[in-house]
Amino acid sequence: MLELSKQFPAYQFVVAKAPGTEDSFYEPLLQPYNNVSSVRNQTYQLLSQSVAALVTSGTATLETALFGVPEIVCYKGSAISYQIAKRLVKVKYICLVNLIMDKPVVKELIQNDLTTQNLHTELTSLLTDKVKRAALASDYEALRQLLSLGGNASGKAAESITRFMNGKQ
Protein backbone atom coordinates (compact mmCIF):
# COMPACT_ATOMS: atom_id res chain seq x y z
CA MET A 1 0.00 0.00 0.00
CA LEU A 2 2.86 2.38 0.73
CA GLU A 3 4.45 1.70 -2.65
CA LEU A 4 1.18 2.73 -4.28
CA SER A 5 1.60 6.27 -2.94
CA LYS A 6 4.52 6.78 -5.35
CA GLN A 7 2.13 6.29 -8.27
CA PHE A 8 -0.22 9.01 -6.99
CA PRO A 9 2.09 11.93 -6.17
CA ALA A 10 -0.75 14.48 -6.35
CA TYR A 11 -2.52 12.80 -3.42
CA GLN A 12 -1.74 12.86 0.28
CA PHE A 13 -1.85 9.38 1.84
CA VAL A 14 -2.46 9.21 5.58
CA VAL A 15 -2.00 6.16 7.77
CA ALA A 16 -4.36 5.88 10.73
CA LYS A 17 -2.11 4.36 13.37
CA ALA A 18 -3.43 1.34 15.24
CA PRO A 19 -4.03 1.77 18.95
CA GLY A 20 -1.31 0.15 21.00
CA THR A 21 1.27 0.28 18.21
CA GLU A 22 4.18 2.57 19.02
CA ASP A 23 5.18 5.46 16.75
CA SER A 24 8.62 3.87 16.49
CA PHE A 25 7.02 1.07 14.46
CA TYR A 26 5.67 3.48 11.85
CA GLU A 27 8.54 5.96 11.53
CA PRO A 28 10.99 3.81 9.51
CA LEU A 29 8.18 2.44 7.33
CA LEU A 30 6.77 5.84 6.37
CA GLN A 31 10.02 7.80 6.07
CA PRO A 32 10.80 6.92 2.41
CA TYR A 33 7.40 8.14 1.17
CA ASN A 34 7.08 11.89 0.61
CA ASN A 35 3.29 12.00 0.32
CA VAL A 36 2.53 9.73 3.28
CA SER A 37 1.89 10.98 6.81
CA SER A 38 0.13 9.51 9.82
CA VAL A 39 -2.37 10.33 12.54
CA ARG A 40 -3.36 8.73 15.80
CA ASN A 41 -6.84 8.74 17.36
CA GLN A 42 -8.26 10.82 14.49
CA THR A 43 -9.72 8.13 12.26
CA TYR A 44 -13.18 9.68 11.96
CA GLN A 45 -11.76 13.12 11.19
CA LEU A 46 -9.52 11.49 8.58
CA LEU A 47 -12.43 9.63 6.99
CA SER A 48 -14.52 12.80 6.86
CA GLN A 49 -11.82 14.37 4.64
CA SER A 50 -10.91 11.34 2.51
CA VAL A 51 -11.70 10.87 -1.17
CA ALA A 52 -10.82 7.16 -1.06
CA ALA A 53 -9.37 4.64 1.39
CA LEU A 54 -7.30 1.48 1.46
CA VAL A 55 -8.64 -0.40 4.46
CA THR A 56 -7.62 -3.56 6.21
CA SER A 57 -10.41 -5.94 7.03
CA GLY A 58 -12.48 -5.52 10.18
CA THR A 59 -14.91 -2.97 11.55
CA ALA A 60 -12.88 -0.26 9.77
CA THR A 61 -14.43 -1.36 6.47
CA LEU A 62 -17.92 -0.78 7.83
CA GLU A 63 -16.98 2.55 9.40
CA THR A 64 -15.42 3.70 6.13
CA ALA A 65 -18.58 2.78 4.22
CA LEU A 66 -20.80 4.57 6.73
CA PHE A 67 -18.68 7.69 6.17
CA GLY A 68 -19.39 7.27 2.45
CA VAL A 69 -15.72 6.91 1.52
CA PRO A 70 -14.98 4.73 -1.51
CA GLU A 71 -12.67 1.96 -0.34
CA ILE A 72 -10.59 -1.02 -1.30
CA VAL A 73 -10.33 -3.76 1.30
CA CYS A 74 -6.76 -5.01 1.64
CA TYR A 75 -5.75 -8.10 3.54
CA LYS A 76 -2.66 -10.24 3.40
CA GLY A 77 -1.65 -12.66 6.12
CA SER A 78 0.80 -15.50 6.33
CA ALA A 79 0.17 -18.14 3.68
CA ILE A 80 -0.29 -20.88 6.28
CA SER A 81 -2.75 -18.87 8.40
CA TYR A 82 -4.73 -17.92 5.30
CA GLN A 83 -4.97 -21.52 4.09
CA ILE A 84 -6.11 -22.71 7.53
CA ALA A 85 -8.72 -19.94 7.83
CA LYS A 86 -9.93 -20.54 4.28
CA ARG A 87 -10.66 -24.17 5.14
CA LEU A 88 -12.28 -23.46 8.51
CA VAL A 89 -14.35 -20.39 7.68
CA LYS A 90 -16.58 -20.57 4.62
CA VAL A 91 -17.74 -17.09 3.65
CA LYS A 92 -18.22 -15.43 0.28
CA TYR A 93 -16.58 -12.20 1.42
CA ILE A 94 -14.09 -11.06 4.02
CA CYS A 95 -15.31 -7.51 4.77
CA LEU A 96 -18.38 -6.57 6.78
CA VAL A 97 -19.81 -4.33 4.05
CA ASN A 98 -19.95 -7.17 1.53
CA LEU A 99 -21.09 -9.71 4.12
CA ILE A 100 -23.98 -7.53 5.29
CA MET A 101 -25.02 -6.57 1.77
CA ASP A 102 -24.43 -10.15 0.53
CA LYS A 103 -22.80 -8.86 -2.63
CA PRO A 104 -19.46 -7.38 -3.68
CA VAL A 105 -20.07 -3.71 -2.87
CA VAL A 106 -16.39 -2.92 -2.28
CA LYS A 107 -13.40 -4.53 -3.95
CA GLU A 108 -11.54 -7.04 -1.78
CA LEU A 109 -7.88 -7.62 -2.60
CA ILE A 110 -6.95 -10.67 -0.56
CA GLN A 111 -3.62 -12.49 -0.32
CA ASN A 112 -2.05 -12.87 -3.79
CA ASP A 113 -4.53 -10.39 -5.30
CA LEU A 114 -3.11 -7.65 -3.08
CA THR A 115 -0.47 -6.30 -5.45
CA THR A 116 0.67 -2.78 -6.25
CA GLN A 117 -0.67 -3.17 -9.79
CA ASN A 118 -4.12 -4.34 -8.63
CA LEU A 119 -4.24 -1.54 -6.06
CA HIS A 120 -3.32 0.98 -8.75
CA THR A 121 -6.04 -0.29 -11.07
CA GLU A 122 -8.71 -0.26 -8.37
CA LEU A 123 -7.74 3.10 -6.85
CA THR A 124 -7.62 4.73 -10.28
CA SER A 125 -11.11 3.39 -10.91
CA LEU A 126 -12.41 4.70 -7.57
CA LEU A 127 -10.93 8.13 -8.23
CA THR A 128 -12.00 8.55 -11.86
CA ASP A 129 -15.01 6.36 -12.67
CA LYS A 130 -18.08 8.47 -11.88
CA VAL A 131 -20.47 5.60 -12.64
CA LYS A 132 -18.64 3.33 -10.21
CA ARG A 133 -18.64 6.04 -7.52
CA ALA A 134 -22.38 6.62 -7.99
CA ALA A 135 -23.11 2.89 -7.71
CA LEU A 136 -20.98 2.69 -4.60
CA ALA A 137 -22.75 5.68 -3.05
CA SER A 138 -26.09 4.00 -3.78
CA ASP A 139 -24.95 0.75 -2.18
CA TYR A 140 -23.62 2.64 0.86
CA GLU A 141 -27.03 4.30 1.24
CA ALA A 142 -28.73 0.89 1.03
CA LEU A 143 -26.30 -0.36 3.70
CA ARG A 144 -27.21 2.57 5.99
CA GLN A 145 -30.89 1.84 5.45
CA LEU A 146 -30.44 -1.85 6.16
CA LEU A 147 -28.53 -1.17 9.36
CA SER A 148 -31.00 1.46 10.56
CA LEU A 149 -34.19 -0.57 10.15
CA GLY A 150 -35.53 -0.94 13.65
CA GLY A 151 -32.19 -0.14 15.26
CA ASN A 152 -29.80 -2.75 16.64
CA ALA A 153 -27.33 -2.45 13.76
CA SER A 154 -24.70 -4.67 15.36
CA GLY A 155 -27.29 -7.33 16.10
CA LYS A 156 -28.53 -7.25 12.52
CA ALA A 157 -24.99 -7.52 11.20
CA ALA A 158 -24.37 -10.50 13.47
CA GLU A 159 -27.64 -12.15 12.39
CA SER A 160 -26.79 -11.64 8.73
CA ILE A 161 -23.38 -13.21 9.18
CA THR A 162 -24.82 -16.08 11.25
CA ARG A 163 -27.50 -16.79 8.61
CA PHE A 164 -24.85 -16.90 5.94
CA MET A 165 -22.57 -19.13 8.03
CA ASN A 166 -25.46 -21.55 8.58
CA GLY A 167 -26.25 -21.59 4.86
CA LYS A 168 -29.60 -19.79 5.31
CA GLN A 169 -29.09 -16.87 3.00
Side-chain angles (χ1 to χ4, degrees):
M1 288 189 276
L2 288 170
E3 279 300 309
L4 181 67
S5 69
K6 291 179 179 178
Q7 298 175 30
F8 292 87
Y11 288 87
Q12 176 65 41
F13 288 72
V14 182
V15 174
K17 295 178 183 176
T21 304
E22 298 296 323
D23 289 346
S24 60
F25 171 80
Y26 293 97
E27 289 166 1
L29 295 172
L30 302 181
Q31 192 274 331
Y33 303 95
N34 295 331
N35 60 334
V36 179
S37 61
S38 62
V39 296
R40 182 178 299 284
N41 299 321
Q42 297 176 41
T43 303
Y44 292 163
Q45 181 180 0
L46 178 60
L47 286 172
S48 71
Q49 299 172 9
S50 298
V51 294
L54 309 176
V55 185
T56 56
S57 186
T59 56
T61 62
L62 184 57
E63 291 170 324
T64 302
L66 293 175
F67 268 85
V69 178
E71 65 183 300
I72 303 163
V73 175
C74 306
Y75 182 79
K76 192 172 209 169
S78 76
I80 292 172
S81 296
Y82 177 72
Q83 289 302 321
I84 291 169
K86 190 174 168 183
R87 285 166 174 72
L88 293 176
V89 181
K90 301 290 185 189
V91 292
K92 284 191 222 178
Y93 310 106
I94 196 168
C95 85
L96 287 173
V97 174
N98 293 346
L99 284 167
I100 293 167
M101 296 297 288
D102 194 28
K103 69 178 189 174
V105 172
V106 298
K107 182 68 173 183
E108 297 180 354
L109 294 177
I110 312 302
Q111 287 304 103
N112 295 333
D113 291 334
L114 182 54
T115 65
T116 305
Q117 180 57 50
N118 287 346
L119 278 170
H120 183 271
T121 299
E122 293 302 324
L123 184 56
T124 298
S125 178
L126 282 182
L127 295 172
T128 62
D129 186 337
K130 292 179 182 177
V131 172
K132 184 173 188 166
R133 289 179 71 88
L136 188 56
S138 176
D139 283 336
Y140 280 178
E141 182 55 34
L143 173 67
R144 280 187 212 91
Q145 293 296 320
L146 180 65
L147 293 176
S148 68
L149 292 174
N152 193 17
S154 59
K156 288 179 191 245
E159 286 173 17
S160 176
I161 293 166
T162 301
R163 276 195 312 276
F164 179 80
M165 296 292 287
N166 292 328
K168 299 175 185 171
Q169 302 175 24

